[in-house]
């Protein structure tokens, strides 16, 4: 087969294809003691790509994302691990990817329903 295409070298392997989305999510960093909002750019059952201004995050940091969904009474809180970080520049905010680490089956189902709503609405 030879060497992979340029795309396969630059793009990390993902089990679940990410879908483009545009919405805001709450984010809490329990160890650092801060909370903020982040913009979600893409999302799958496995994780999401986000951005936020001037935030200091490191790979393997643990965060909790809080999604507001019309089908839920309360926000859906999903623990996640920061998989990669591209630090902020003068022109762009910090961009980062997270891998979801849901704690129970009902949260996985709610996450699946949330993603399905974006796919069918978008």
């Amino acid at each position: 087969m030879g060497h992979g295409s340029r795309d396969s070298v630059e793009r990390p392997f993902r089990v679940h294809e990410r879908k483009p989305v545009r919405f805001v999510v709450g984010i809490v960093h329990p160890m650092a003691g801060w909370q903020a909002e982040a913009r979600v750019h893409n999302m799958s059952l496995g994780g999401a790509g986000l951005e936020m201004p001037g935030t200091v995050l490191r790979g393997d940091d643990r965060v909790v994302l809080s999604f507001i969904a019309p089908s839920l009474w309360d926000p859906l809180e999903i623990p996640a691990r920061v998989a990669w970080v591209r630090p902020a520049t003068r022109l762009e905010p910090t961009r980062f990817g997270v891998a979801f680490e849901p704690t129970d089956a009902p949260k996985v189902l709610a996450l699946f329903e949330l993603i399905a709503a974006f796919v069918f609405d978008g």
Side-chain angles (χ1 to χ4, degrees):
M1 251 223 168
H3 297 89
S5 72
R6 180 180 160 103
D7 252 2
S8 66
V9 172
E10 292 179 3
R11 206 168 144 208
F13 171 77
R14 292 195 175 107
V15 174
H16 304 284
E17 179 184 354
R18 291 197 178 175
K19 301 294 181 187
V21 295
R22 291 258 183 233
F23 64 93
V24 175
V25 66
I27 182 169
V28 175
H29 192 303
M31 294 298 290
W34 55 259
Q35 60 184 359
E37 289 185 338
R39 293 182 61 125
V40 182
H41 289 281
N42 58 56
M43 190 167 145
S44 74
L45 194 54
L50 305 100
E51 73 175 31
M52 41 192 299
T55 302
V56 178
L57 287 167
R58 292 186 305 261
D60 288 330
D61 278 1
R62 298 295 200 256
V63 296
V64 178
L65 301 179
S66 181
F67 297 92
I68 304 296
S71 61
L72 301 173
W73 289 100
D74 296 315
L76 173 60
E77 294 186 345
I78 301 288
R81 178 186 50 79
V82 176
W84 58 268
V85 178
R86 189 176 75 206
T89 66
R90 286 184 335 169
L91 303 175
E92 293 186 349
T94 299
R95 291 189 70 120
F96 60 102
V98 297
F100 296 139
E101 296 181 336
T103 54
D104 55 45
K107 286 190 180 191
V108 173
L109 178 59
L111 183 61
F112 175 79
E113 290 172 344
L114 179 69
I115 293 167
F118 282 117
V119 170
F120 290 118
D121 287 345

